[in-house]
Amino acid sequence: MNAPPLSDGGPRRFGWPQRVFSQVLLMQLAIITGVTVLVTGLFLAPLSAQLDEEAMRRALAIAQSTAAQPGIAEDLRTTEPSALGPVQSAAERIRRSTGAEYVVVMDRRGVRWSHPEADRIGEVVSTDPGDALRGREVMEIDSGTLGRSARGKVPLRDTAGSSEVVGAVSVGIEYDSVRARLLGAIPGLLAYAGTALAVGALAAYLISRRLQRQTHDLGFSDISALLTEREAMLHSIREGVVALDGTGRIRLLNDEAQRLLGLGPEAAGRPLEDVLGPGRTVDVLAGRVVGDDLLAVQGSRVLLANRMETDDDGAVVTLRDRTELEHLGRELDSTTGLIDALRAQDHEHANRLHTLLGLLELEMHEDAMEFVTEVVGVHRATAEQVTEKVRDPLLAALLVGKATVAAERGVSLRLAPGTLLPDRVVDPRGLVTVVGNLVDNATDAAAGSGDARIEVGLRAEGRTVELRVRDSGPGIAPEQHASIFTEGWSTKDLPAHGKRGLGLPLVRRLAERQGGSVTVSAADGGGAVFTVVLPEALGAAGPTTPHPATTGENR
């Protein structure tokens, strides 16, 4: 679907852009700018505190070094405060060599013995020296006679190691120099921040351009409308749609796909093998089987699948329900065969009528009666034999009909000795499908062979039914015993509806659905034997009632 065209008419109004590309770019630029400003501010705040701490520690270290100078404490006791005194000389020498703003030595009264401005010597200091005179070291930012400075104050002791405090040393670092260092660091920091902002803006632009290509320059409202339309379309079409990602996980299933595959919405996000189990259906959906209009059997459904790869290594698979069409195709095959059989039966019936007419014209009335009795009795005997041993009416009717069709193709269908099936079948239609498919395959295999025959055996043991269908055909090679139950595999020519290889897979699925199994083996004397075991095919035994075939009813 193409993006809706932009309107060229009317006045252009400024506001929040509609395109995903523009909105994402603006949001990314806003976020990058905000983060850059925030990080710069968070960096400057501790930088200022760090510079203050560094200046105070420097002042404290100079004060400690000054207090440790030999002779300072002695000169403080033995001389008077003077601009030419030894204390002033030593303090000024230290101030000039360290770059401090001032180095002030004071006695216990707080009187200055040194100061950068000599006329202030002999005056009391402007800030409280109490903590230093009490023996504690002090670091602070404070204002004095020389302005605001970073200060360090230490006690001045009589001698090294002595506990007697005779004065204090106060050293100040000009605060303007600390602020100048901070301001000097700002241009470099802003340059780094600007570079980071430019790189982030370029990356945001490139990402947004990629997003623009991926979204086909649509707006958020367009994408929302497309998603709404997609959901409505997916859940309204009568074809199943399964979307897969590159790892084989299910992205989405529409309602029809859930129905055809027997899954629920919770299957989304899970691997195919976990929700469907191994088999041809998973191989077709996963792309391990390549081709168009691939057949797969899921449960009792025959599906037609087509797969289309997507650009992200995923795929979209469409599923069509071919079950009804397949049934119609099989009915067409059966009808065609029945028409051929009826045509042959018409010839045989005409021959019988001609024979009967000849007997009557020759006035051989008794022979004519015996001939009619024999013809009618054979078919009636076959029907009665089936209904005596197979008590389920649907299955009995199927076998009678199949026997007639097989006979027209020159194949004899008979029940195996010991056959007996009570009228307690839980799923008659499922069992009819199993028997019908196996008998049809056996008829096709046996037709044209010498002494063509089919033997159907049905035995019940508790609730378990065992079905055996044996034919006199060419048999199945041992290496093909596993392949014949694969969807699409067949040794026959294509029928009118264009597909084969579905009957035996359906038989296997129906058997497995009831917890049973189907196997094939070679028959003695040639041919094949299919054995189906259905553990829960019969319902619980109830009161025994006479069957019409054994009571003489309907005769």
Side-chain angles (χ1 to χ4, degrees):
M1 180 178 289
N2 296 326
L6 295 175
S7 176
D8 294 331
R12 187 178 298 274
R13 294 183 296 178
F14 294 95
W16 187 251
Q18 298 299 315
R19 302 298 183 193
V20 175
F21 158 74
S22 303
Q23 290 192 27
V24 171
L25 178 60
L26 288 179
M27 286 188 291
Q28 287 181 321
L29 290 177
I31 292 173
I32 292 171
T33 303
V35 170
T36 303
V37 172
L38 179 61
V39 170
T40 303
L42 292 176
F43 183 79
L44 284 176
L47 177 62
S48 176
Q50 182 180 357
L51 292 176
D52 289 349
E53 178 76 11
E54 181 182 343
M56 289 187 294
R57 288 191 178 280
R58 180 182 169 208
L60 183 65
I62 295 172
Q64 290 172 340
S65 298
T66 301
Q69 291 288 325
I72 292 282
E74 181 64 24
D75 293 337
L76 191 67
R77 284 201 318 266
T78 58
T79 63
E80 294 295 328
S82 170
L84 301 177
V87 175
Q88 170 71 357
S89 300
E92 284 299 294
R93 184 177 67 252
I94 293 172
R95 183 183 68 81
R96 288 192 295 269
S97 62
T98 59
E101 183 181 14
Y102 63 85
V103 176
V104 173
V105 179
M106 67 193 79
D107 60 15
R108 290 189 60 82
R109 296 171 300 169
V111 176
R112 299 188 186 98
W113 285 66
S114 65
H115 196 275
E117 299 175 358
D119 56 347
R120 294 185 180 275
I121 296 175
E123 296 178 357
V124 177
V125 295
S126 60
T127 57
D128 182 19
D131 289 338
L133 293 176
R134 285 191 290 271
R136 292 196 297 269
E137 295 180 346
V138 179
M139 291 191 307
E140 61 184 0
I141 302 292
D142 203 356
S143 297
T145 57
L146 297 179
R148 191 171 179 80
S149 60
R151 303 184 177 193
K153 298 178 182 179
V154 299
L156 178 63
R157 301 184 185 280
D158 185 17
T159 58
S162 173
S163 61
E164 182 182 358
V165 176
V166 297
V169 177
S170 176
V171 176
I173 303 296
E174 186 179 6
Y175 193 74
D176 288 342
S177 65
V178 178
R179 185 169 56 187
R181 288 184 62 190
L182 176 62
L183 295 177
I186 290 177
L189 180 61
L190 292 179
Y192 285 120
T195 302
L197 181 61
V199 172
L202 178 60
Y205 176 76
L206 295 177
I207 293 173
S208 299
R209 287 289 296 176
R210 177 179 175 84
L211 183 62
Q212 182 184 28
R213 290 192 299 270
Q214 291 179 338
T215 59
H216 303 285
D217 201 23
L218 293 174
F220 280 109
S221 59
D222 301 326
I223 294 177
S224 177
L226 285 175
L227 288 175
T228 302
E229 293 169 2
R230 188 200 70 164
E231 289 298 314
M233 179 181 64
L234 285 177
H235 294 290
S236 63
I237 60 176
R238 300 310 299 167
E239 283 193 357
V241 178
V242 181
L244 306 171
D245 62 16
T247 62
R249 292 180 178 273
I250 299 174
R251 281 177 175 165
L252 65 87
L253 303 97
N254 68 345
D255 297 341
E256 183 68 4
Q258 294 177 25
R259 184 183 72 85
L260 295 178
L261 297 175
L263 303 176
E266 67 279 358
R270 298 175 60 189
L272 279 172
E273 287 79 0
D274 289 355
V275 296
L276 294 178
R280 177 179 169 84
T281 302
V282 171
D283 293 338
V284 169
L285 295 181
R288 291 190 283 269
V289 180
V290 182
D292 297 329
D293 292 338
L294 296 173
L295 283 175
V297 177
Q298 181 66 18
S300 60
R301 297 188 181 278
V302 180
L303 306 178
L304 204 62
N306 285 281
R307 175 184 168 96
M308 177 67 71
E309 304 289 337
T310 57
D311 294 337
D312 59 352
D313 296 329
V316 175
V317 184
T318 58
L319 302 172
R320 282 178 286 167
D321 191 354
R322 196 184 171 88
T323 306
E324 297 299 329
L325 182 60
E326 188 63 31
H327 288 169
L328 290 175
R330 286 184 165 273
E331 289 181 7
L332 177 61
D333 287 345
S334 300
T335 303
T336 302
L338 184 58
I339 290 174
D340 293 337
L342 288 174
R343 187 179 294 112
Q345 192 173 15
D346 178 62
H347 287 290
E348 183 179 356
H349 184 63
N351 292 333
R352 290 172 178 171
L353 287 178
H354 292 159
T355 302
L356 179 60
L357 179 60
L359 292 173
L360 293 175
E361 287 181 350
L362 294 174
E363 297 183 355
M364 300 175 64
H365 301 109
E366 293 185 0
D367 292 335
M369 291 180 62
E370 290 178 1
F371 177 74
V372 172
T373 302
E374 180 182 356
V375 171
V376 175
V378 170
H379 292 286
R380 183 169 183 177
T382 301
E384 290 181 352
Q385 180 187 16
V386 170
T387 54
E388 280 185 10
K389 296 185 176 182
V390 179
R391 304 295 178 82
D392 183 81
L394 284 179
L395 192 57
L398 172 73
L399 290 174
V400 171
K402 293 295 184 183
T404 302
V405 174
E408 297 302 332
R409 298 184 60 182
V411 180
S412 171
L413 188 151
R414 63 189 181 191
L415 296 180
T419 295
L420 183 61
L421 182 69
D423 188 11
R424 292 188 284 112
V425 179
V426 174
D427 183 14
R429 295 184 181 275
L431 189 55
V432 163
T433 300
V434 172
V435 175
N437 277 289
L438 293 180
V439 170
D440 285 345
N441 289 341
T443 303
D444 292 339
S449 64
D451 189 21
R453 65 189 183 281
I454 302 171
E455 186 178 80
V456 179
L458 286 162
R459 292 192 306 109
E461 183 175 347
R463 299 186 62 181
T464 301
V465 170
E466 181 183 89
L467 166 66
R468 287 179 183 269
V469 178
R470 175 178 176 175
D471 63 71
S472 60
I476 300 172
E479 62 271 13
Q480 295 178 341
H481 283 183
S483 302
I484 62 174
F485 296 104
T486 303
E487 293 94 331
W489 189 96
S490 180
T491 59
K492 306 173 187 177
D493 296 332
L494 289 180
H497 54 92
K499 298 290 181 180
R500 277 204 184 272
L502 297 174
L504 291 178
L506 281 174
V507 170
R508 184 184 65 176
R509 291 296 176 89
L510 288 171
E512 291 177 349
R513 190 171 65 181
Q514 297 186 21
S517 62
V518 55
T519 57
V520 60
S521 59
D524 296 337
V529 178
F530 285 86
T531 303
V532 180
V533 178
L534 304 174
E536 301 293 331
L538 298 180
T544 302
T545 58
H547 192 269
T550 61
T551 60
E553 297 179 10
N554 299 330
R555 294 196 178 184

